[in-house]
Amino acid sequence: MRSDYDAVVIGAGPNGLVAANLLADHGWSVLVLEAQPAIGGAVASAEDVQPGFVHDTFSAFYPLAAASPTVRSLGLEEHGLTWRHAPAVLGHPFTDGSWALLHRDREVTARLADAQHPGDGAAWLELCAQWDTIGDQLLGALLRPFPPVRPALSLLARLRRVGGLAFVRDLLTPAAELGRNRFAGVGPGILLAGNAGHADIPLDAPGSGLLGLLMTMLGQTVGYPVPQGGAGRLADALGRRFTDRGGELRCDAEVIGIDVAGGRATGVRTSTRRVRARRAVVADVVAPHLFGRLLHPDDVPPRVARGMERFEMDPGTVKVDWALNAPIPWLTEPAHAPGTVHVADSIGQMQEALGQVQAGAVPAAPFMLAGQMTTTDPTRSPAGTESFWAYTHVPQETRTDAGGGDVRGIWDHDDCERFADRMQARIERLAPGFGSTVLARRVLGPRELEARNANLVGGAVGGGTSQLHQELVFRPVPGLGRAETGIGGLYLGSASAHPGGGVHGAAGSNAARAAVLHDRLRLRRP
Ligand SMILES: Cc1cc2nc3c(=O)[nH]c(=O)nc-3n(C[C@H](O)[C@H](O)[C@H](O)COP(=O)(O)OP(=O)(O)OC[C@H]3O[C@@H](n4cnc5c(N)ncnc54)[C@H](O)[C@@H]3O)c2cc1C
């Protein structure tokens, strides 16, 4: 390892790896320093629950990566990545044995919705057609640095074709309402609401409808693909592409400080060495750690320091992985087996669970996201078995247990196991006999998640709340909304930066592009 590079990237999560690739594409010498023993951040997999079963440790489904112009431009398929799709994208099982299903073929989704409530099929196809007109522009605007002038203008030009202000109103309608306004049956609405529940925006708040629509329509257009062989194969492809271009990766190398001189980042420190960064430092680091730990307080611009005092993490997470000796015995087999499964009795119950988390209560009947991974990618476990997971959110600070008081919210071993029993009971109601298929179970609570990736503060999956007051120009602090940090040559390229959580690489891409642009401007200056 040399002692100076054009750029140093701190952290090898998807954003760090995207930034590193883009900088290497510009011919820069780039070093990535990763604290953990392996690259990937929250994109990782291992056979560590049961031999023969691959489990994704954190994230599992990648619609945002499949749709992201940046990730697509990297051509990861040439570096060993193969996407796999489940027969159906998403399913929501009900306790009466029926399902709401999203199939990648919109006609099939529409047919299924129509069978449950005549007329909903046509309404679904109309929604899809509206998305066809503005979806790419909307996604482009969301993933670009703020303000996204060009995609926003293109979006405005197309709005009239989808109903103008009436459609804008739909985008601003809270997720809990969106389905009720457009569909007579409950199925389409609960799919939209469940997809909004992937982030921590309350389902009755503006912004939740947009997210629900975005995730649902991505399911309808690109699907929810997974990397064949495990989530780690996506990280491997990013890493391989980077090292093929001469980039250097070092694991077990935690950065403990960033050197700043004359208001400009000049390099980084690990516990054993100092590395100079001639042109840029990109931090794939959660904002409170970047501004509160890696930088000396005197180096943080006062405006940023003040803003960070009010920075909010998103809720914590408990994730349970199961190795099953048989497919899940759902009450009724769905018409098409879904990869992603949402667990909630109704939109109302989903709202109640999310509201309890916001209010500091451990949810009594948690709203869960789950994944049938062998159904999606048969290489994940032996034929006839299932590699399965579910996760749900819990408060960062627990005041009470809405489920009767046996979970204290300190997330030690007992708390995690008791809460995992509560989660498992939710599956058992929908799939009687589920428990008897379990070969092995592993519970990752907030502490275990953070120990495996320091960015997951208190088990938060999104690098900070996704609520409107910390999005766009307010992310991570009011006035930023871009990768710039107020310190020359230092860029925030993690999920804490706009546009936030999810594996789309946009924060890393924004950071790399800003670094290259500023470097050019600096070199041009006399
Ligand atoms: C349980 C879970 C499930 C999720 N499910 C999905 C999903 O299905 N689909 C989806 O799109 N998104 C999902 N997400 C969100 C998504 O994984 C994250 O938003 C995304 O990984 C963020 O990428 P990142 O590069 O910003 O940070 P991370 O992936 O968190 O990576 C940050 C990296 O930086 C390293 N690091 C931090 N500090 C230092 C330091 N000081 N020195 C060196 N290295 C450091 C960390 O070790 C880590 O490797 C999920 C997240 C979790 C936790």
Side-chain angles (χ1 to χ4, degrees):
M1 184 161 100
R2 305 175 351 214
S3 61
D4 70 304
Y5 294 80
D6 288 327
V8 175
V9 176
I10 309 170
N15 278 313
L17 291 171
V18 163
N21 270 286
L22 297 183
L23 293 173
D25 288 349
H26 276 88
W28 290 26
S29 61
V30 185
L31 171 69
V32 178
L33 295 170
E34 167 54 51
Q36 296 289 331
I39 63 165
V43 179
S45 49
E47 255 186 60
D48 51 359
V49 175
Q50 172 80 4
F53 287 70
V54 174
H55 278 90
D56 298 334
T57 319
F58 313 95
S59 58
F61 291 98
Y62 298 105
L64 290 165
S68 157
T70 300
V71 175
R72 290 163 88 120
S73 75
L74 297 178
L76 296 178
E77 291 77 2
E78 288 160 34
H79 300 270
L81 177 69
T82 303
W83 291 118
R84 299 295 296 249
H85 291 268
V89 177
L90 166 67
H92 193 120
F94 296 97
T95 45
D96 65 359
S98 64
W99 286 80
L101 284 176
L102 180 74
H103 193 280
R104 211 148 45 107
D105 181 340
R106 64 180 68 181
E107 300 285 345
V108 177
T109 310
R111 243 191 337 268
L112 292 165
D114 213 61
Q116 287 176 342
H117 211 288
D120 277 359
W124 187 265
L125 292 175
E126 188 193 340
L127 183 61
C128 293
Q130 287 178 323
W131 186 259
D132 289 342
T133 307
I134 59 139
D136 284 352
Q137 286 67 27
L138 194 59
L139 187 70
L142 288 172
L143 296 184
R144 293 280 180 84
F146 209 82
V149 180
R150 219 180 316 149
L153 287 176
S154 160
L155 186 61
L156 278 175
R158 285 163 177 258
L159 259 182
R160 204 173 323 149
R161 283 159 52 192
V162 292
L165 284 179
F167 193 75
V168 175
R169 187 179 190 277
D170 273 356
L171 295 179
L172 295 175
T173 301
E177 289 292 324
L178 194 56
R180 271 199 290 269
N181 291 351
R182 282 187 169 248
F183 303 98
V186 292
I190 209 161
L191 293 174
L192 286 161
N195 274 327
H198 287 222
D200 68 320
I201 313 172
L203 299 186
D204 56 3
S208 62
L210 173 57
L211 181 70
L213 188 62
L214 172 75
M215 296 304 293
T216 305
M217 288 298 125
L218 286 183
Q220 200 60 101
T221 49
V222 296
Y224 284 10
V226 307
Q228 177 170 300
R233 302 290 82 79
L234 171 57
D236 291 347
L238 282 163
R240 203 171 299 126
R241 186 186 184 282
F242 171 61
T243 51
D244 282 355
R245 280 160 175 70
E248 287 184 45
L249 281 168
R250 289 286 176 276
C251 290
D252 291 313
E254 182 190 2
V255 170
I256 56 170
I258 297 174
D259 294 327
V260 177
R264 191 174 170 80
T266 55
V268 306
R269 302 184 301 282
T270 68
S271 58
T272 55
R273 59 192 308 151
R274 201 170 219 129
V275 184
R276 197 168 152 239
R278 284 186 296 262
R279 298 163 118 172
V281 174
V282 172
D284 181 8
V285 175
V286 68
H289 290 181
L290 172 63
F291 296 111
R293 286 190 188 171
L294 299 190
L295 288 163
H296 190 280
D298 294 346
D299 292 328
V300 181
R303 181 172 65 97
V304 175
R306 272 196 307 278
M308 283 307 296
E309 283 167 15
R310 294 180 58 186
F311 186 84
E312 270 177 55
M313 289 310 300
D314 40 318
T317 304
V318 175
K319 178 169 187 278
V320 186
D321 294 300
W322 291 272
L324 307 177
N325 65 15
I328 298 179
W330 299 111
L331 278 166
T332 311
E333 275 304 304
H336 308 272
T340 301
V341 177
H342 291 163
V343 178
D345 291 0
S346 61
I347 294 181
Q349 196 205 48
M350 213 183 272
Q351 280 182 290
E352 188 180 37
L354 297 172
Q356 285 168 348
V357 175
Q358 292 290 342
V362 175
F367 163 54
M368 306 196 303
L369 308 181
Q372 304 196 101
M373 302 317 294
T374 312
T375 296
T376 314
D377 167 14
T379 70
R380 300 295 181 97
S381 68
T385 68
E386 188 72 69
S387 166
F388 184 59
W389 60 263
Y391 79 73
T392 191
H393 294 303
V394 295
Q396 283 280 352
E397 306 275 339
T398 298
R399 296 206 186 96
T400 180
D401 177 9
D406 62 337
V407 179
R408 294 155 298 164
I410 56 172
W411 305 115
D412 59 356
H413 178 265
D414 282 358
D415 260 4
C416 285
E417 288 296 328
R418 276 193 286 255
F419 192 64
D421 290 344
R422 194 177 292 177
M423 291 170 68
Q424 187 162 323
R426 304 271 295 142
I427 310 277
E428 190 75 35
R429 285 173 76 228
L430 296 161
F434 173 80
S436 64
T437 67
V438 176
L439 290 172
R441 176 173 104 171
R442 177 192 51 192
V443 188
L444 297 176
R447 294 184 195 184
E448 289 76 21
L449 291 169
E450 191 171 342
R452 286 164 169 77
N453 176 349
N455 278 19
L456 309 179
V457 176
V461 304
T465 182
S466 312
Q467 296 186 57
L468 208 49
H469 62 271
Q470 200 170 276
E471 279 294 342
L472 309 170
V473 282
F474 305 112
R475 195 167 186 91
V477 299
L480 284 187
R482 308 176 72 87
E484 288 86 338
T485 58
I487 298 167
L490 176 63
Y491 302 92
L492 178 62
S494 74
S496 292
H498 172 74
V503 178
H504 40 61
S509 154
N510 292 344
R513 290 179 208 284
V516 169
L517 179 69
H518 292 164
D519 185 64
R520 278 197 196 127
L521 294 174
R522 203 159 62 97
L523 292 180
R524 260 193 233 146
R525 237 176 268 145

